Amino acid sequence: MRSDNKIIPSFLMANTSLIMIIAAVIWAAFSGDMASNNHRTRTNTTDSQGSTTPQQVHISMVGRDKMRISWMTRKPALSKVEYGMSSGVYDTSVIGTSTTYYYLLYKSGHIHEVVIGPLNPNTVYYYSCSADASREFFFKTTPPQLPINFVVIGDLGQTGWTDSTLQHISQANYDMLLLPGDLSYADYWQPKWDSFGRLVEPLASQRPWMVTHGNHEIEKIPILHGTPFTSYNARWHMPFEESGSPSNLYYSFDVASEVHVIMLGSYTDFSQGSSQYKWLEGDLNKIDRKKTPWVMVLFHAPWYNSNKAHSKEYESVNMRKAMEQLLYDARVDVIFVGHVHAYERFTRVYDGKANKCGPVHITIGDGGNREGLATKEASFGHGQLEVINSSHAQWTWHRNQDNLSVAGDSVWLTSLFSHPDCNPQ
């Protein structure tokens, strides 16, 4: 009798947990729509394409002279990209691969990937996917040397403020977009990954989008779906293999020959001795600062934060304890993070104190998410980093104020390599 009495409550608790999880998934989808509707009307991203028509097209850089083209079709289609330097004239074609994934009752469309190249730098290419001539796209490769202009946004989402941010970005003269986590805010509701792909396609198909994950990409549900990052890894394949990383959740790449960008994972093991830590240590040791004077790092949860939102969270506190020394010794120039829905800049800090050889920490988690801003004083927006030469770069944060891209903060940054007292160890 005692045994039976113990089993029944355990059974009820397990089922109660499942009900709560399912309710949370439904509420996440519902609240996301409500937030979007209450916080300005978002762009219509209804799927109006044919079953084999390419959609959700986005590109990412692979090595110095290649590009990964990713897209989705609802039904099976040819994983093929045709491309050339003139509209409608394609002198090269490449066959790639396609995959699908399951998440609870959801089955994705067919996710296609093709890596094309070698490509010429600073060049416009026109391309079509799945041998479908009804939709032609184009992209511009990055320049071979400085100057280069990055757009940086975090916590993007799918609201009217997202629309405003994307509109402002479309007017910028930039070469690459960097995103330190929290992309779609699908939050378990997989169709929102599809609507996000359609929403960002006009920009993500024209310039490489280099992203890393945030907490909203985890999407792990105890018992029901035990694998984290299923949707993120399936849809946003980054060039981790080329940087010797064992995981799509952290990687690095070079751009414009003089900038090294490192993408880290706040929500995968970062402890000393972990695969990520060992990879980061090796990656930093490979950098020749005489050839690559600029080093930037992106991850999601900020190490320094004056806002009450997300203050002293495990990922922030413990990742800093594990990795800050590595980044300081390597003289990383600037760190971009998201998670806190506000803009904030800490000028050169290490171990909680001002330090002329420490990195600049910039929180840019104000892309347009459905959860709102961290404070009443904050504003949605985006940032631009123009690396002018080996020693100087200009950072500007643009507010989405009154539907205009207003410059809210601007500062000149000097590379630590060029600082006589801060030569990398």
Side-chain angles (χ1 to χ4, degrees):
M1 292 297 292
R2 289 181 182 178
S3 176
D4 291 342
N5 288 338
K6 288 181 179 179
I7 291 174
I8 292 173
S10 298
F11 176 79
L12 291 174
M13 288 178 65
N15 280 274
T16 300
S17 298
L18 287 176
I19 293 171
M20 291 178 66
I21 290 169
I22 294 170
V25 171
I26 295 172
W27 172 250
F30 176 76
S31 63
D33 286 336
M34 288 295 290
S36 296
N37 291 332
N38 290 336
H39 210 355
R40 307 176 61 200
T41 303
R42 79 181 165 201
T43 297
N44 182 4
T45 56
T46 302
D47 185 0
S48 60
Q49 304 295 342
S51 61
T52 60
T53 302
Q55 59 166 283
Q56 305 178 46
V57 181
H58 61 271
I59 67 173
S60 55
M61 197 171 77
V62 181
R64 293 183 180 273
D65 60 358
K66 294 181 175 64
M67 203 74 74
R68 175 176 284 108
I69 315 295
S70 303
W71 72 97
M72 184 176 284
T73 56
R74 293 203 307 275
K75 299 294 183 180
L78 188 62
S79 299
K80 179 181 180 180
V81 168
E82 298 173 284
Y83 67 99
M85 296 184 189
S86 300
S87 177
V89 181
Y90 312 130
D91 51 19
T92 307
S93 64
V94 181
I95 299 293
T97 60
S98 69
T99 59
T100 60
Y101 73 89
Y102 287 88
Y103 188 94
L104 301 180
L105 299 179
Y106 172 90
K107 180 185 177 181
S108 74
H110 294 261
I111 303 168
H112 305 267
E113 290 185 1
V114 175
V115 175
I116 65 173
L119 305 170
N120 296 327
N122 206 31
T123 301
V124 174
Y125 287 88
Y126 297 85
Y127 65 102
S128 66
C129 305
S130 293
D132 189 329
S134 67
R135 302 197 73 200
E136 182 182 66
F137 304 90
F138 71 90
F139 66 81
K140 180 177 174 291
T141 55
T142 57
Q145 56 192 18
L146 301 179
I148 185 170
N149 196 2
F150 298 93
V151 158
V152 188
I153 51 173
D155 300 71
L156 190 55
Q158 304 180 56
T159 69
W161 287 115
T162 308
D163 290 341
S164 181
T165 297
L166 294 177
Q167 180 183 5
H168 296 158
I169 291 172
S170 70
Q171 299 169 3
N173 180 24
Y174 70 102
D175 301 295
M176 176 180 287
L177 186 141
L178 306 175
L179 200 161
D182 282 2
L183 284 70
S184 70
Y185 281 77
D187 293 327
Y188 314 104
W189 191 254
Q190 297 304 292
K192 287 197 171 182
W193 275 108
D194 295 315
S195 61
F196 178 78
R198 293 188 290 270
L199 176 65
V200 302
E201 181 193 76
L203 297 183
S205 61
Q206 296 180 11
R207 297 291 186 276
W209 278 41
M210 312 303 290
V211 306
T212 188
H213 68 274
N215 55 301
H216 286 270
E217 276 72 63
I218 300 174
E219 296 187 307
K220 178 180 178 180
I221 305 177
I223 302 174
L224 296 179
H225 189 89
T227 303
F229 305 108
T230 298
S231 311
Y232 171 79
N233 282 332
R235 295 169 182 266
W236 291 85
H237 183 177
M238 293 291 109
F240 69 95
E241 302 94 337
E242 287 72 19
S243 63
S245 168
S247 171
N248 190 51
L249 302 178
Y250 49 91
Y251 63 98
S252 66
F253 59 94
D254 292 322
V255 60
S257 74
E258 295 172 284
V259 182
H260 187 68
V261 181
I262 300 174
M263 297 287 200
L264 298 178
S266 294
Y267 299 91
T268 188
D269 191 0
F270 45 69
S271 62
Q272 293 184 10
S274 67
S275 295
Q276 181 174 201
Y277 183 94
K278 292 177 181 178
W279 171 83
L280 174 61
E281 188 174 35
D283 189 74
L284 291 170
N285 287 335
K286 294 176 184 176
I287 304 172
D288 183 350
R289 295 300 287 269
K290 293 180 181 178
K291 297 179 180 179
T292 312
W294 289 94
V295 178
M296 304 189 302
V297 175
L298 290 86
F299 49 86
H300 190 61
W303 293 353
Y304 294 97
N305 173 27
S306 69
N307 291 279
K308 292 182 180 179
H310 300 300
S311 177
K312 299 180 181 180
E313 289 184 346
Y314 172 86
E315 291 78 14
S316 298
V317 173
N318 288 278
M319 190 179 186
R320 178 189 157 195
K321 288 180 179 178
M323 293 183 166
E324 186 175 32
Q325 187 70 50
L326 280 182
L327 301 192
Y328 177 77
D329 289 345
R331 299 297 189 255
V332 168
D333 295 289
V334 59
I335 293 174
F336 293 105
V337 297
H339 201 38
V340 175
H341 301 159
Y343 170 74
E344 188 167 24
R345 173 168 58 87
F346 290 88
T347 302
R348 302 237 175 267
V349 61
Y350 165 68
D351 195 25
K353 302 175 184 177
N355 188 302
K356 62 183 178 182
C357 297
V360 174
H361 286 254
I362 295 175
T363 299
I364 190 75
D366 54 358
N369 65 88
R370 63 175 172 79
E371 295 174 334
L373 293 165
T375 68
K376 294 180 179 180
E377 295 77 20
S379 170
F380 290 105
H382 76 279
Q384 295 183 35
L385 179 70
E386 185 175 10
V387 184
I388 305 297
N389 52 40
S390 62
S391 60
H392 287 83
Q394 186 176 33
W395 165 256
T396 307
W397 172 61
H398 297 265
R399 294 180 298 178
N400 294 358
Q401 189 176 55
D402 301 325
N403 292 327
L404 299 174
S405 182
V406 179
D409 183 36
S410 184
V411 64
W412 281 95
L413 305 178
T414 303
S415 66
L416 291 175
F417 175 78
S418 66
H419 196 295
D421 296 330
C422 300
N423 291 326
Q425 299 178 8

